[in-house]
Amino acid sequence: MAGRRIDRERLASDLVSLAQVGLTALREKWLELYGRPAPAGFRTQFLVQCIGFKLQERALGGLKPSVRRLLAAIAEGGRGPSPIVGPFRLI
């Protein structure tokens, strides 16, 4: 459990430092994390948010595989599961 605490402390420190670096450093960090250059139109604050999300994902874990599959199906034009209303499922 102590290892997890150190990871959270490091994560908190990394997140705080994002607000203190310039655009060039953020673009370099993006390249490191995402493996491709940041799109030219992305503003500083948006880069901070995206990089922060990626750092949290790496430190704490990402989406469950079932959620990834659901999102991929929806993105391809499929439907997600029908919402449940009471004890019945809508058709």
Side-chain angles (χ1 to χ4, degrees), residues 3-6 12 18 22 33 35 39 41 44 52 57 60 67 72 74 81 83 86:
R4 188 61 143 181
R5 182 171 175 214
I6 291 170
L18 287 177
L33 292 171
T44 302
E57 178 186 44
L60 304 173
V67 174
I74 292 170

Side-chain angles (χ1 to χ4, degrees), residues 11 33-34 49-59:
L11 173 61
L33 292 171
Y34 289 91
Q49 291 171 344
C50 292
I51 292 169
F53 176 82
K54 187 61 111 173
L55 291 173
Q56 291 175 70
E57 178 186 44
R58 284 191 173 182

